[in-house]
């Protein structure tokens, strides 16, 4: 067994830093998914190649294959709303309208991605558009309806989500200057103004 040098004044060898591979992998996956979402909102699914996604994400196409397997697997993730819906609906029912408004706007402002707007581009994607619609209904609308009590929960859920999509379009696509940059408006103020209209469908 080797002796350990314990003489005073001899610095101990520094412990190796933990490898950040897991964190870096998750960050890279997130960049790839954002790039694929961006492209899916602007081109038909059939016209998007892995090379396009790789160039947008600043990675190599083989790295996308390593993380996602193939184009269909990648876009299956992009066309899912389950993670976004979980965050969108993560509030008590009596404050859910304001929370959803804040979440839609903060996602646009801070991440450049709306949790709902991918559904607007479903007509671009042929058969894949129907997958997008089915996921949207299941993960967002039906999940919201399941939380509601009282009459017509399915209709009320659709109306509430329609209000959020309209807000997202005005903020992120039409880029309404007063909504985005008005000196008297910020996300909190908009949530206070618009949230009660959404809430009226949730707790009438």
């Amino acid at each position: 067994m080797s002796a350990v040098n314990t003489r005073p004044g001899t610095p101990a060898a520094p412990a190796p830093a933990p490898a950040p591979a897991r964190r870096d992998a998750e960050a890279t996956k997130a960049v790839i998914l954002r790039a694929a979402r961006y492209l899916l909102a602007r081109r038909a699914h059939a016209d998007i190649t892995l090379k396009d996604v790789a160039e947008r994400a600043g990675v190599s196409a083989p790295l996308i294959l390593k993380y996602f397997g193939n184009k269909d697997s990648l876009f299956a993730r992009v066309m899912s709303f389950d993670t976004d819906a979980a965050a969108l609906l993560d509030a008590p029912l009596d404050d859910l309208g304001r929370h959803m408004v804040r979440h839609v706007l903060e996602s646009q402002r801070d991440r450049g991605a709306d949790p709902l707007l991918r559904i607007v581009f479903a007509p671009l994607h042929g058969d894949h558009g129907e997958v997008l619609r089915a996921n949207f209904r299941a993960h967002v609308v039906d999940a919201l309806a399941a939380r509601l009590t009282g009459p017509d929960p399915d209709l009320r859920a659709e109306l509430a989500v329609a209000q959020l999509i309209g807000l997202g379009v005005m903020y992120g696509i039409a880029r309404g200057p007063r909504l985005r940059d008005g000196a008297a408006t910020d996300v909190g103020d908009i949530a206070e103004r618009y949230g009660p209209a959404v809430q009226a469908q949730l707790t009438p």
Side-chain angles (χ1 to χ4, degrees):
M1 180 181 297
S2 300
V4 177
N5 188 343
T6 58
R7 287 180 298 167
T10 302
R22 174 74 178 174
R23 183 186 62 206
D24 289 350
E26 293 305 315
T28 302
K29 288 179 184 178
V31 169
I32 292 168
L33 288 169
R34 282 198 298 272
R37 282 187 177 187
Y38 177 92
L39 293 170
L40 194 70
R42 289 159 177 81
R43 301 186 203 169
H45 175 273
D47 295 335
I48 303 170
T49 67
L50 285 181
K51 183 174 182 288
D52 296 330
V53 178
E55 289 177 353
R56 176 76 192 173
V59 302
S60 67
L63 188 63
I64 297 177
L65 294 175
K66 173 184 174 182
Y67 287 143
F68 295 97
N70 55 40
K71 176 182 169 180
D72 285 343
S73 295
L74 170 63
F75 279 95
R77 287 280 299 275
V78 173
M79 290 184 180
S80 173
F81 290 86
D82 54 352
T83 301
D84 286 320
L88 181 71
L89 303 179
D90 186 21
L93 184 58
D94 61 1
D95 192 46
L96 189 55
R98 289 179 178 83
H99 166 80
M100 291 196 295
V101 170
R102 283 192 299 270
H103 184 69
V104 164
L105 297 180
E106 287 171 354
S107 295
Q108 289 263 14
R109 183 192 66 192
D110 301 338
R111 297 192 293 114
D114 188 286
L116 302 176
L117 281 188
R118 298 194 301 289
I119 193 60
V120 174
F121 302 98
L124 287 175
H125 305 304
D127 292 341
H128 288 89
E130 189 49 47
V131 173
L132 197 62
R133 291 185 190 96
N135 288 343
F136 182 79
R137 288 191 294 266
H139 298 157
V140 180
V141 181
D142 293 349
L144 176 58
R147 294 193 57 187
L148 305 184
T149 59
D152 303 316
D154 298 319
L155 174 60
R156 287 160 44 213
E158 289 185 0
L159 290 170
V161 171
Q163 290 172 296
L164 294 171
I165 292 173
L167 178 65
V169 168
M170 192 63 188
Y171 190 87
I173 297 177
R175 295 181 177 271
R178 281 155 292 281
L179 183 62
R180 292 178 61 91
D181 304 316
T185 57
D186 60 18
V187 166
D189 180 58
I190 296 167
E192 289 303 313
R193 291 170 179 260
Y194 201 78
V198 179
Q199 190 68 37
Q201 299 300 331
L202 308 179
T203 51

